[in-house]
Amino acid sequence: MNIAKITTLFFSPTGTSKKIVQAIAKGAGQSCQIEHIDLTLPKHSKPKVFAGNELTIIAVPVYAGRVAQLAKERLQQFSGSNSPAIIVVTYGNREFEDALIELKDLAEAQSFSVVAASAFIGEHSFSSAKTPIAQGRPDDNDLKIAKEFGQKTMQQLLASATPADLKVPGDTPYKEGMKNLPFTPTVDTDECTQCEECISVCPSGAISLTDQIQINAELCIFCCACIKNCPVECISLKNTPMQEKAGALHLNCQQRKEPQLFY
Ligand SMILES: Cc1cc2nc3c(=O)[nH]c(=O)nc-3n(C[C@H](O)[C@H](O)[C@H](O)COP(=O)(O)O)c2cc1C
Ligand code: SF4
Ligand code: SF4
């Protein structure tokens, strides 16, 4: 089949899914126009219907073994016309459980035809210098695999040799996903310079500045974008149950996992 254009469609609060999807697109799109649509922030692109000859590469992070809920809501504004799609989940070296099958079901419900799927490893959102988890992932090797995966999938597409019914791991009904948490990252207001960088990177609009920075627990999805982007490192997991969780993940998820590709 002929591919007129490639579009990446991604939600990536801490940037790892973005790196991976862009490497896949680079591999796939050597002679094709590529557009990147970033769905991470509340103000993102308008809904769109993709044509049958456009390839879309969809990437989302895994939260609690499922597709991050906010990513799912944003992706539901886009649909295909039986258009080919590559789907990608990025996870923090624990497990991706039912996220890939959930993303495949979602893409198909939005009239995409899933031609290839993958699970890549990204540095865990809860990773820090004290408790590193999959630190530095995706690394050069991951990105090389991502690029080759894009290239090979494109070759298969052009040769009309993609699988009719791609199988991916995961169970239905899906495992229970993330519940809304009654707490948020902790802001050290004494150190805060009120630069508002955290507000500009928050995917859910949970942060506001009145007399000091405040985080709305009902909106916060605990993505850790604010923690990773605060220039004075005054937002953290300190005094939250996630600090203990990060310690446990650091201990239990040390064995390096490798990307899994399905095509
Ligand atoms: C709330 C939350 C839940 C997560 N759950 C999982 C999980 O179940 N398994 C896993 O391996 N990683 C998990 N992670 C880690 C992310 O999937 C991983 O860091 C991913 O690379 C983040 O993608 P991004 O950089 O595009 O935001 C979780 C992260 C967050 C914030
Ligand atoms: S990014 Fe850090 S310093 Fe800047 S406003 Fe947010 S918490 Fe304060
Ligand atoms: S406030 Fe919550 S949702 Fe917003 S960036 Fe921080 S962790 Fe993510």
Side-chain angles (χ1 to χ4, degrees):
M1 83 180 284
N2 181 36
I3 297 294
K5 188 181 167 188
I6 296 175
T7 306
T8 66
L9 204 51
F10 59 91
F11 178 86
S12 186
T14 61
T16 61
S17 308
K18 177 178 177 176
K19 279 188 196 161
I20 292 160
V21 78
Q22 292 191 340
I24 296 172
K26 207 169 170 190
Q30 279 158 4
S31 56
C32 223
Q33 185 200 345
I34 303 175
E35 184 188 358
H36 298 291
I37 301 183
D38 186 343
L39 303 178
T40 311
L41 294 177
K43 277 189 193 154
H44 53 80
S45 311
K46 293 199 177 73
K48 184 176 169 179
V49 180
F50 294 94
N53 64 353
E54 290 183 67
L55 170 65
T56 307
I57 313 177
I58 304 171
V60 299
V62 175
Y63 285 2
R66 298 277 304 273
V67 173
Q69 180 59 27
L70 196 53
K72 195 167 177 173
E73 286 165 24
R74 293 194 178 155
L75 282 173
Q76 278 166 334
Q77 299 167 18
F78 294 80
S79 53
S81 314
N82 197 28
S83 323
I86 300 175
I87 56 167
V88 186
V89 294
T90 309
Y91 70 107
N93 206 51
R94 189 186 68 77
E95 297 289 346
F96 60 92
E97 292 163 313
D98 300 333
L100 195 57
I101 195 165
E102 183 182 15
L103 185 58
K104 180 169 183 274
D105 291 345
L106 171 64
E108 287 172 352
Q110 299 298 115
S111 301
F112 289 101
S113 166
V114 177
V115 295
S118 56
F120 278 82
I121 295 85
E123 177 159 341
H124 201 293
S125 319
F126 301 162
S127 170
S128 66
K130 266 194 190 158
T131 55
I133 313 154
Q135 198 178 28
R137 307 286 298 274
D139 58 16
D140 288 350
N141 196 48
D142 294 316
L143 295 176
K144 182 169 171 277
I145 293 171
K147 198 173 164 196
E148 286 167 1
F149 171 60
Q151 204 169 10
K152 191 163 170 200
T153 305
M154 186 56 132
Q155 281 165 2
Q156 286 187 343
L157 257 177
L158 296 176
S160 300
T162 50
D165 184 20
L166 189 74
K167 296 273 179 277
V168 300
D171 292 324
T172 45
Y174 316 129
K175 73 180 287 264
E176 195 183 350
M178 278 243 328
K179 290 202 184 78
N180 204 17
L181 302 170
F183 49 86
T184 69
T186 305
V187 184
D188 180 344
T189 47
D190 290 342
E191 295 298 321
C192 174
T193 61
Q194 303 200 339
C195 69
E196 302 190 30
E197 181 61 23
C198 51
I199 296 178
S200 72
V201 298
C202 178
S204 64
I207 311 180
S208 58
L209 175 63
T210 44
D211 51 330
Q212 57 187 33
I213 285 288
Q214 287 186 329
I215 305 179
N216 179 331
E218 274 179 31
L219 294 177
C220 177
I221 59 167
F222 234 101
C223 69
C224 302
C226 54
I227 297 176
K228 307 243 177 203
N229 285 285
C230 173
V232 296
E233 298 182 11
C234 73
I235 314 186
S236 69
L237 299 178
K238 259 184 231 158
N239 306 323
T240 74
M242 289 309 184
Q243 190 171 30
E244 202 179 315
K245 174 121 181 128
L249 288 165
H250 165 67
L251 290 176
N252 299 329
C253 304
Q254 295 196 352
Q255 191 168 356
R256 181 186 171 96
K257 297 196 170 164
E258 295 299 340
Q260 292 183 49
L261 312 175
F262 307 90
Y263 42 23

